[in-house]
Amino acid sequence: SGLVFRAGEEASAEVARLAPEAAILVKTDAPFLAPPGVPGRRNEPVHVRRTAAWLAALRGEALAELGPRLVATYDAHLRRGRLGPAVRA
């Protein structure tokens, strides 16, 4: 949730930091709750990468390492082979 970025939501950010990656899905709260670096702007799906980068930094790892695992989690939980793998950028 975009709430993890907000002041006063430190407990939510801590859950994101400690949660097993198989339980994490990164999404956008479009059109509200834009991630850091997009203040005052409409949130859009393009900002999912920014959210994933924030999560990687919070967890102390590189986005290049965490990103493919997040995509694999998405594929495992939501796609289940019906639509093929997600597009990887």
Side-chain angles (χ1 to χ4, degrees), residues 24-84:
I24 296 174
L25 294 173
V26 179
K27 64 175 190 70
T28 175
D29 285 320
F32 308 107
L33 300 173
V38 190
R41 295 181 53 199
R42 177 184 171 91
N43 195 6
E44 310 229 354
V46 70
H47 300 309
V48 168
R49 180 179 173 86
R50 190 180 297 261
T51 301
W54 176 88
L55 179 63
L58 181 70
R59 294 170 70 93
E61 59 186 301
L63 178 57
E65 296 170 2
L66 181 62
R69 296 193 315 266
L70 292 173
V71 171
T73 298
Y74 171 84
D75 286 345
H77 290 287
L78 298 177
R79 297 185 73 84
R80 298 194 192 270
R82 292 183 303 237
L83 303 173

